[in-house]
Amino acid sequence: MRDVAVIGAGITAFGELWNTSFREMCTEAGVKALEDANVAGEQIDAMFVGSMSAGRFIGQEHVGALVADYVGLGGDLHIPATRVEAACASGGLAFRQAVAAVASGMSDIVVAAGVEKMTDVSDATDVLAGAADREWESFAGATFPGLYAMIACDYMNKYGLTREQLAQVAVKNHYHGAKNPFAQFRSEITQSTVLKSTLVASPLRLFDCSPVSDGAAVVIVCPFKRAKEFTDTPIRVLTSTQSGDTIALHDRPDFSTMGATVAAGNSAFKQAKLERKDIDFVEVHDCFTIAELCAIEDLGFVPKGTAGKFTEEGQTQIGGKLPVNTSGGLKSCGHPVGATGIKQVWEVVQQLRGEAGKRQIDGAEIGMTQNVGGTGATVVSHIFGRA
Amino acid sequence: MVGTKCKTCGKVFFPPRSVCPHCRRNGKIVEYKCSGKGEVLTFSVIHSASDQYAAMKPYVLAIVELEEGTRMTTQIICEPEEVYIGMPVKSVFRVLDREGTEGIIHYGTKFVPNLA
Ligand SMILES: CC(C)(COP(=O)(O)OP(=O)(O)OC[C@H]1O[C@@H](n2cnc3c(N)ncnc32)[C@H](O)[C@@H]1OP(=O)(O)O)[C@@H](O)C(=O)NCCC(=O)NCCS
Ligand SMILES: [Zn+2]
């Protein structure tokens, strides 16, 4: 297998982009990434596009071809474009396909895009419920916030997590997001903002939830050996792992442990021959506050049941022991589902290049991502290093 | 409530499965009638629902473990403040939702408290 590097990254602002269409978002992020990598269309071999449900959000299928066409890779160049879907992990999985294509030697320069336009549809809650088991969870009345709320209920009962500790995840992510010019919510909040916000699915309130968002992100990968042709600051992909689990939450032995995160994390550290302490920062899938706590525990950074305290102590904030979600996470940066996994890679690239501006972590050398589909039936994780 | 059972390992499945995820090709799946009794493992009171369920909110969503050991996602018909982890419940056959005033009515399993 060949070593792979990220050589370019581009992103749109995340938010309710009512005057920007699906294809315009892709074009904007795609052109930025191509310019960043200094790559010409003729040099590109393949493209992967992560989108959870363009069919239900905007009535458009075949978005691999659509995106390739509008980024200027379709008509004249006939570049093969493949859509990848794994609910909210679609972006991370598209990136993994791009890495695999390069690592295997099948392709040299590959584009990985992630996109979602969620705000045009009136009932986004129902579309998102399709990431769970439609027949045996959603038909029973399960919403996505409701499923994660049941994880939170189980977790609080087992480990004595306080409502304030849980709120602190959102407070910290808004603090980070306020420093990210592309984030959907760029205002800092306090614990009382969270605790006074409306109940969505008890114990989760509005400010425990990621929002409904529009946005796109694109990154470009190539063999590590060729990276210097394009950039002085290539980012090395140290590992790419993916794990699965039961589609339904009710079939997991422990609702508060995401088995697929444990498995993806363990194999990542083993493959990379790294220790947990070697990781300088992580971008994890905080679709709901509780998910961030589970993620840092299940990846092995802190023991089970202690992530609330770790967060309360400020250890997950920039300047702490393990900064988590410097982009603002899904909570504050926004969560256009298919785009999120690519946005995580984009943020790691900004940090490792030292280009993260006000949210820059001093001396960041190694970063990690964790992207979740559904309630954990798919988890995709990557570790990156400054080359 | 008719689920399935793997005769090889003895596991009961509701929702029913036609392949045992533990024994796979060595499993032998047969129909199995569940007692419909169980207990609440975790729950959430849903205040923001999809359009289909909006008329029912707030409603109690829960994961119930049946006596037979299998687990399912369902609703508990009770006041939101009544439900707790460990609450004994039993299944009932109820309307899940209606498609408008003249459309199809979907029925399915829900649970009610089964307190002594
Ligand atoms: C939480 C949720 C139900 C709120 O939706 P909603 O009640 O329809 O909210 P609205 O869009 O009507 O927005 C109402 C206000 O709250 C704000 N808001 C919406 N979502 C927010 C969030 N997650 N955090 C903070 N503020 C939010 C809006 O900006 C708006 O503010 P304004 O009145 O000042 O303009 C919705 O965002 C949601 O479903 N989130 C989860 C998404 C999800 O499940 N993703 C997949 C996870 S894997
Ligand atoms: Zn069996």
Side-chain angles (χ1 to χ4, degrees), chain A residues 32 46 82 128 181 185 187 199 232 264 319 353 373:
Chain A
K32 280 184 190 167
T82 307
L128 291 167
F185 298 121
S187 54
L199 267 172
D232 295 334
R353 283 179 178 172

Side-chain angles (χ1 to χ4, degrees), chain A residues 34-68:
Chain A
L34 291 170
E35 279 175 1
D36 187 42
N38 209 4
V39 161
E42 291 75 14
Q43 295 173 287
I44 292 168
D45 296 312
M47 179 163 191
F48 293 90
V49 180
S51 162
M52 171 182 162
S53 194
R56 294 224 30 223
F57 283 123
I58 60 164
Q60 176 72 58
E61 306 294 7
H62 210 173
V63 297
L66 175 84
V67 173

Side-chain angles (χ1 to χ4, degrees), chain B residues 49-62:
Chain B
S50 63
D51 295 350
Q52 199 182 359
Y53 295 103
M56 291 189 219
K57 60 182 190 187
Y59 59 87
V60 179
L61 181 74

